[in-house]
Amino acid sequence: MTAPRRGAPTGALSPALRHVPLFLTGLAALALCAALSLVLGTRSVPLSTVADALFGHAHGREALVVTELRLPRTVIGLAVGAALGVAGAVAQGITRNPLASPTTLGINAGAGFAVVVAIYALGLGDPVQYVWFAFAGAAAAALLAQALARRSGDLDPVRLALGGTVLQLVLLSWTSAVMLLNQRTLDEARFWLAGSLSGRPLGVLWPVLPTLLLGLVVALALSPALNALALGDDSAQALGVPVARIRLAGGIAVVLLAGSAVAMAGPVAFIGLAAPHLVRPLLGNDHRLLVPGCLIAGPLLLLAADVLGRLVIRPSELEVGIVTAFLGAPLLALLARKVTR
């Protein structure tokens, strides 16, 4: 007979408590990046002026720059980064593929193709008008990728990753073809397709806020089941986890999150791929910690890249999608090399 585990409740809490300092440090770093996003740009604004502008005590040119340009840019960056970070963690969890992300599953490419077609066919020119086309394109691409991955009614994770990659390449080629049909489409679409937080009004956030919040709730609710999926389908089913339904729910969460993010800022690459790999060495592979960690790491990476893009060629700036692609390409190469060993 074994002795009762009197210390079980305390022991059950200890892993979470042990990681509290890491979460607090991450939140502090995120707050610092948000502050830098409000301060730095073509012209730096003193932190005191930023504070006065936010509380309505300043009304000059610098205050307008903060409230009308940098504050919306920062808020949208927080929302987009959180969505992409969590979407990447869920995508890697349901596919059991460390290279999975909204980009490799074809979701970003689907959103981009839908927006370019809308610009060409309907003459759209306002980012607020892109929102639902981008979201619809992301959802359609995800559904098509899942259809390609189904085998005997089940969703095969390897086929999902491969199908998403093939779909991404096809959609990118179609997008390029549509952009070349006329000069206006090329001029309007190339800025959005680069992935940018610049010039985005807060109006692009409100239409997708419900889907963004729903995606985050679903992702957090699925995190215990994603731990079971990591053991393999047979082991997960033996534990009573409905594998097919969890994968379907996870796919819906990825669509909701990535579609919302792409609708707001365009197809920003590598945040969804990098955030989980940044968090895992710190918090481990437990998705109950990994998903909330990516909720912090995603916006931290995106805002840091956006601030960097404003400084490297000052007084001009690089779009955040260009910065993340430049920094993320070596990361993807390293990860691919590690996975194929």
Side-chain angles (χ1 to χ4, degrees):
M1 179 180 294
T2 58
R5 297 177 60 189
R6 297 179 181 177
T10 303
L13 292 175
S14 60
L17 293 176
R18 188 168 61 247
H19 291 106
V20 166
L22 288 174
F23 278 101
L24 293 178
T25 301
L27 288 173
L30 182 57
L32 176 61
C33 272
L36 291 175
S37 179
L38 295 172
V39 169
L40 298 176
T42 303
R43 287 185 58 185
S44 297
V45 177
L47 188 58
S48 59
T49 304
V50 170
D52 289 340
L54 294 178
F55 289 102
H57 301 314
H59 303 284
R61 180 181 176 184
E62 290 183 334
L64 286 176
V65 169
V66 172
T67 57
E68 299 298 324
L69 297 178
R70 294 186 187 171
L71 180 60
R73 184 172 185 166
T74 303
V75 172
I76 291 171
L78 291 170
V80 170
L84 290 176
V86 173
V90 175
Q92 292 173 16
I94 61 176
T95 62
R96 296 201 306 272
N97 185 340
L99 300 180
S101 72
T103 300
T104 57
L105 294 180
I107 295 174
N108 285 1
F113 177 67
V115 168
V116 170
V117 170
I119 292 172
Y120 172 72
L122 303 177
L124 303 185
D126 186 344
V128 177
Q129 297 174 317
Y130 300 165
V131 168
W132 291 114
F133 293 98
F135 188 78
L143 290 174
L144 183 55
Q146 291 197 22
L148 293 173
R150 289 199 175 277
R151 182 174 59 184
S152 302
D154 294 327
L155 193 64
D156 186 279
V158 176
R159 288 167 62 94
L160 179 60
L162 292 175
T165 301
V166 172
L167 182 62
Q168 177 196 10
L169 295 175
V170 171
L171 288 172
L172 287 176
S173 65
W174 288 358
T175 300
S176 299
V178 174
M179 288 175 64
L180 293 175
L181 292 177
N182 65 50
Q183 187 64 37
R184 182 188 175 280
T185 302
L186 178 62
D187 293 340
E188 290 285 346
R190 63 183 177 183
F191 177 75
W192 185 84
L193 287 173
S196 175
L197 301 178
S198 177
R200 300 292 192 268
L202 278 177
V204 301
L205 173 61
W206 310 133
V208 299
L209 187 59
T211 57
L212 175 61
L213 294 177
L214 179 60
L216 290 176
V217 170
V218 173
L220 291 169
L222 288 177
S223 56
L226 294 179
N227 287 337
L229 285 186
L231 302 174
D233 289 2
D234 292 339
S235 298
Q237 288 174 346
L239 293 173
V241 175
V243 173
R245 280 188 290 174
I246 293 300
R247 281 218 173 89
L248 177 60
I252 292 173
V254 173
V255 169
L256 292 173
L257 292 169
S260 300
V262 175
M264 288 185 282
V268 178
F270 293 111
I271 297 297
L273 175 67
H277 290 284
L278 177 67
V279 173
R280 281 193 186 94
L282 301 174
L283 299 179
N285 293 316
D286 188 344
H287 285 82
R288 293 171 297 178
L289 297 173
L290 180 65
V291 172
C294 289
L295 191 61
I296 299 173
L300 178 61
L301 288 173
L302 187 61
L303 285 183
D306 188 43
V307 171
L308 180 61
R310 303 182 209 178
L311 300 179
V312 289
I313 56 172
R314 204 173 182 183
S316 298
E317 66 177 60
L318 289 175
E319 305 302 334
V320 67
I322 297 174
V323 177
T324 58
F326 180 79
L327 298 177
L331 172 65
L332 179 60
L334 289 173
L335 290 174
R337 183 178 180 183
K338 180 179 179 181
V339 169
T340 54
R341 278 180 178 178

